[in-house]
Structures are given as structure tokens and as C-alpha cells.
Amino acid sequence: MEIKGAVALATGGNRGIGRAFARALLGHGAAKVYAGVRDPASVPDADVVPVRLDVTDEESVAAAAAVAGDVTIVINNAGVGGASTKLLEGSFDGARQAMEVNYFGTWAVSRAFAPVLARNGGGALVNMLSVASWVGQPEFPGYAASAR
Ligand SMILES: NC(=O)c1ccc[n+]([C@@H]2O[C@H](COP(=O)([O-])OP(=O)(O)OC[C@H]3O[C@@H](n4cnc5c(N)ncnc54)[C@H](OP(=O)(O)O)[C@@H]3O)[C@@H](O)[C@H]2O)c1
């Protein structure tokens, strides 16, 4: 994967690991980095280009793929923990949200940006995973299943 001169997009690039990805890409010579975020005003870095993107909303994902049509690197980083769902009790809401964001969201972004990457000569699709995808933890059963 060639970063120097590349145009990249990191979902959730406004904070946490996604912001670190954005900073690292620019630090390694990327020409432009988009942050795919639910709230463009939440991107604190002036050298990162905010793009509105909710990974659970297919229209939003398609719109972001149209706006960021020059990308050659896409980083699927956006994710949620779903920690409110316990294994043997309580609501499934947290686990459902984890599946929507971590599993289907990653799939939706990959599907929407695959033709963009192909059109731009190939590029790279990077998925931010978790050790939880190999070793399930009873405290985070929804997250483990969703952690692609
Ligand atoms: N932290 C860890 O120890 C760890 C370990 C292994 C893997 N991971 C994975 O690494 C990734 C980032 O983790 P993190 O710790 O940096 O998480 P974080 O600080 O909680 O940040 C999560 C990011 O995902 C975004 N996001 C959530 N739902 C979204 C949606 N529907 N559409 C678009 N963006 C959405 C958030 O945006 P908002 O600001 O709008 O909420 C935020 O930018 C996640 O996929 C996580 O599963 C983290």
C-alpha cells in the first residue's frame, strides 16, 4: 500500500483510533485525508477534510462515496462496543447496534467504495479489527460477534 501521495478516507476520523489513522496518513505523506463522520463539525483537525458519513445509513454511505470519489485508501475504523448487552440478560439493543455499525457498516462502506478504488487503479481497503474477533469475551458478547 503506497501512502505517499495517496488520497485516503478513515471512517470515524474525528476521534480515537480513527483520528490517529488520519494523522498518521498525513504524517506519512498522504496528499489528502477525508474523515468520514456523522458530524462534520466534530473533526478537530484543519488539515483533514470532513465528509458526512453514517455507516448505518446506505444513502449517507453512497453520498460519501460520491463526494470522496478520488480515494485510493479506505479505512473502516468506525465502531461501537455494544457493551450494554449482557450474555444472559437485558436488552439486545447494544448488540444490534454493534452489528449495524461494526458488521453491516463495514460491509456497506466496503461495497460502496470498492468501485471507487477500482476506478482509481486499485488501492487498499483496511479494516480495523479487534482481538475480540478471535477471542470472545463474556463481558462483550455483542461486540465479539460484530468485530469482523
Ligand atoms: N479502543 C480499543 O481498545 C480498540 C481495540 C480494538 C479494536 N478497536 C476498534 O477500533 C475502532 C476505533 O475504536 P476507538 O477506540 O477509537 O473508538 P471510539 O473512540 O469510541 O470512536 C468510535 C468512532 O466511531 C464512530 N462511529 C460510531 N458509529 C458510527 C456510525 N454509525 N457512523 C460513522 N461513524 C461512527 C464515532 O463517531 P462519533 O464521534 O460520531 O461517535 C467515532 O469516531 C473501532 O472499530 C473499535 O471496534 C478498538
Side-chain angles (χ1 to χ4, degrees):
M1 180 172 71
E2 182 61 49
I3 294 174
K4 203 167 172 52
V7 179
L9 178 142
T11 63
N14 56 330
R15 61 186 175 98
I17 295 170
R19 185 182 180 194
F21 271 125
R23 302 256 35 94
L25 286 158
L26 287 168
H28 285 82
K32 192 201 298 186
V33 175
Y34 295 100
V37 291
R38 291 186 286 191
D39 175 11
S42 69
V43 177
D45 302 307
D47 52 357
V48 172
V49 183
V51 175
R52 190 179 297 279
L53 170 55
D54 181 333
V55 303
T56 66
D57 176 345
E58 286 186 44
E59 281 184 20
S60 167
V61 173
V67 169
D70 52 350
V71 294
T72 52
I73 298 172
V74 174
I75 300 186
N76 277 311
N77 162 81
V80 295
S84 63
T85 298
K86 308 299 174 214
L87 188 60
L88 297 178
E89 61 193 25
S91 160
F92 283 118
D93 289 354
R96 284 193 207 286
Q97 181 64 6
M99 290 304 288
E100 286 298 329
V101 176
N102 303 348
Y103 182 77
F104 288 111
T106 295
W107 192 351
V109 171
S110 303
R111 184 187 271 192
F113 277 90
V116 177
L117 294 174
R119 202 168 58 234
N120 294 334
L125 191 59
V126 178
N127 290 346
M128 177 64 197
L129 309 179
S130 169
V131 68
S133 61
W134 299 314
V135 184
Q137 293 173 298
E139 298 85 3
F140 307 103
Y143 181 69
S146 73
R148 53 296 195 218

